[in-house]
Amino acid sequence: MCHSDQFDTAAQHELRMTSADFQDLWDKQWQQNPDSPTLSPSSSLSSSSLNAIVDGDAMAAAVEAELQQLQPLAALPKVFARLSLPKLNNVVLTAVTITGMYPKLRKMDNLRVEVQVGFDRSLVYDISAVGTSRVEVDEAAAAVDGPTETLHVHCPEKQVLLFGEVLVTLKVKQKEVGHLWFHTSFLDSHTKHLVIKKADIDKLLKDAKKGHKLFASSMHVVLAFK
C-alpha cells in the first residue's frame, strides 16, 4: 500500500499497521459512497511540518491524517448483499459405474471403490465390500478402444450418505490407481448422475500419457445419486 509520493514517516507507520488496521481501512473504503469524489493522493503535510512535530502522539495523528488522504482505491461495487458459502447438501450414493476396463488385464478384477467423506478418514465407505458388483461388455466403445468392460457397483439402499467434500478412490487390492474429489454443495435435487472423465481423475492422467495401459481412452466414472 505504500506510495511513491508518501513521506518516509508515513510509510514506516503503514508498515507497522496490523491486519486489524488494514481491515478497518478496507471497511471504510467498502462503505464509501460510490458517487463521492475520489480522494486525492496529494498530501496536505509538508516535510518541514512533519519535522516540526516532536510529540509522538502528534506525529501519529499527523501520519494518520496523511494516510487518510492516500486512499486511491475507488469504492467497491456491492454485487452481493451478503457473501455466503454454498448450502451444504446431503446426497445418497446409489451406484458407481466405471467404464473402459480391459478384459485381458486381469489385475483389474480386484478393482475396488472407496468413498471418503471429509478430509479425515473418520467416515469411509468400502463400496465394493458393502455393495454388489457386476461386469458387462461395453460394445459401444469396442470400435474405438477395442474390447472393454464396464464395472457396476450398486450400493446398499440408503446407507451411503454423502455431504461436503467427498473423495472417491479406485484401488487394486490396497494400491491406489486413481482418485477424484467433488463437493455436494454443487449438486442439487435435479442432479442424478455425476460423470468424471479419465482426464479429470488424478493419477490416471499419467496412464493417458503412457498410452492408456490401465484403462481405455474412453474410460470414465459415473456416480449415481438418489
Side-chain angles (χ1 to χ4, degrees):
M1 288 182 63
C2 296
H3 306 272
S4 58
D5 58 347
Q6 192 171 344
F7 296 115
D8 291 340
T9 51
Q12 291 299 322
H13 177 76
E14 187 171 312
L15 291 174
R16 290 193 296 269
M17 291 175 64
T18 64
S19 58
D21 296 330
F22 282 108
Q23 182 65 44
D24 183 61
L25 287 177
W26 177 269
D27 293 338
K28 290 179 180 178
Q29 190 67 38
W30 176 265
Q31 297 171 5
Q32 180 182 343
N33 187 350
D35 298 329
S36 62
T38 305
L39 293 175
S40 172
S42 61
S43 172
S44 61
L45 295 176
S46 63
S47 58
S48 59
S49 61
L50 282 175
N51 293 331
I53 299 176
V54 179
D55 183 74
D57 294 337
M59 171 65 77
V63 171
E64 181 66 24
E66 172 76 11
L67 292 177
Q68 291 297 328
Q69 294 188 6
L70 290 172
Q71 294 186 24
L73 296 176
L76 298 176
K78 296 184 179 180
V79 180
F80 303 102
R82 179 176 177 272
L83 297 178
S84 60
L85 295 175
K87 181 181 178 182
L88 188 63
N89 295 329
N90 297 337
V91 298
V92 176
L93 182 66
T94 59
V96 179
T97 301
I98 304 172
T99 67
M101 299 174 57
Y102 295 125
K104 295 183 179 180
L105 197 59
R106 295 273 54 105
K107 70 176 183 179
M108 287 302 171
D109 292 344
N110 298 316
L111 183 65
R112 306 181 67 84
V113 181
E114 186 179 274
V115 179
Q116 172 183 316
V117 178
F119 292 101
D120 56 11
R121 294 186 60 83
S122 58
L123 181 55
V124 179
Y125 300 100
D126 189 344
I127 305 299
S128 301
V130 300
T132 57
S133 303
R134 65 181 177 88
V135 178
E136 64 180 20
V137 178
D138 189 356
E139 298 179 355
V144 179
D145 299 308
T148 59
E149 295 177 339
T150 298
L151 172 64
H152 300 277
V153 183
H154 294 274
C155 306
E157 186 71 16
K158 296 183 179 179
Q159 288 192 13
V160 184
L161 178 64
L162 308 180
F163 51 89
E165 295 280 356
V166 178
L167 170 65
V168 179
T169 305
L170 307 180
K171 292 184 176 182
V172 174
K173 295 183 179 180
Q174 295 301 319
K175 183 179 179 181
E176 178 186 332
V177 295
H179 69 268
L180 60 98
W181 286 92
F182 70 94
H183 200 289
T184 60
S185 293
F186 297 97
L187 305 176
D188 54 31
S189 58
H190 303 290
T191 304
K192 300 301 181 183
H193 296 87
L194 180 62
V195 181
I196 302 95
K197 298 180 180 180
K198 181 179 181 179
D200 298 326
I201 301 176
D202 292 333
K203 290 194 174 184
L204 288 187
L205 183 59
K206 295 181 180 179
D207 181 53
K209 294 180 179 179
K210 294 179 180 179
H212 306 286
K213 302 296 184 181
L214 296 178
F215 295 94
S217 60
S218 60
M219 181 267 187
H220 59 273
V221 176
V222 181
L223 306 177
F225 306 102
K226 182 178 180 181

